[in-house]
Amino acid sequence: MLNISGLNEGVVIDHIKAGGAMKIYEYLNLEKLDCQVAIIKNARSSKMGKKDIIKIEGPLDIDLNVLGVLDHNITINIIKDNHISDKKTLDPPDMVTNIIKCKNPRCITSAEYNVPHKFKLTDKENRIYRCVYCESRFKGN
């Protein structure tokens, strides 16, 4: 059995849909951080069957609420002194920038360089976002 040690201080991103950890790693630009990051893929879960987990050592100054766009099941555990000091579930944010990419080839974000990809939450229950420029639809998990 694989053993990943606990954290003294850091963040654990838990209950990620199996296979989704690398997408989150990329969105958060974790490769740019100078700290230890552990990605556990396909961990056994009584709730989900299989899940991914990301453990990040040290304090983290990143807005993790944007992860609510990618996967609504994610939980964030803040670790201090070897214990969970805070546990959060994520709500989908009302507006996101450069998290979702517009796939419409006619959208200004495809035609112009450096135009931010902005999406607005239009249906919270079904987690549907729309591009603010062209109204293209994105449905979260």
Side-chain angles (χ1 to χ4, degrees):
M1 181 167 181
L2 180 65
N3 185 15
I4 305 288
S5 65
L7 293 174
N8 184 36
E9 181 178 0
V11 175
V12 176
I13 305 171
D14 199 359
H15 300 105
I16 303 167
K17 183 177 177 180
M22 289 309 295
K23 182 189 267 188
I24 290 169
Y25 183 88
E26 291 168 9
Y27 278 117
L28 294 177
N29 293 313
L30 295 178
E31 72 277 0
K32 294 180 181 176
L33 296 179
D34 187 26
C35 63
Q36 292 183 29
V37 177
I39 297 174
I40 302 147
K41 294 183 66 170
N42 298 317
R44 283 184 222 110
S45 168
S46 57
K47 282 187 195 175
M48 302 172 67
K50 286 195 265 184
K51 67 179 179 179
D52 289 358
I53 304 166
I54 300 175
K55 290 184 171 186
I56 306 162
E57 183 183 53
L60 191 61
D61 190 26
I62 297 175
D63 180 16
L64 297 171
N65 290 318
V66 298
L67 298 179
V69 174
L70 303 175
D71 188 341
H72 68 285
N73 291 317
I74 289 176
T75 56
I76 307 293
N77 298 314
I78 309 299
I79 311 296
K80 291 189 180 169
D81 298 323
N82 289 321
H83 297 292
I84 297 173
S85 68
D86 191 16
K87 186 171 191 157
K88 301 189 238 182
T89 56
L90 303 176
D91 287 326
D94 293 331
M95 178 78 80
V96 292
T97 302
N98 292 330
I99 299 298
I100 308 166
K101 303 288 186 208
C102 187
K103 303 234 188 280
N104 180 356
R106 293 188 176 128
C107 182
I108 192 166
T109 59
S110 297
E112 296 289 328
Y113 185 69
N114 280 342
V115 175
H117 292 259
K118 291 184 180 183
F119 280 76
K120 181 171 178 60
L121 182 63
T122 57
D123 183 347
K124 189 170 186 172
E125 184 177 317
N126 294 310
R127 301 173 28 93
I128 295 173
Y129 285 83
R130 294 209 177 262
C131 175
V132 297
Y133 307 110
C134 71
E135 295 288 315
S136 285
R137 180 178 184 249
F138 173 86
K139 184 171 181 354
N141 291 336

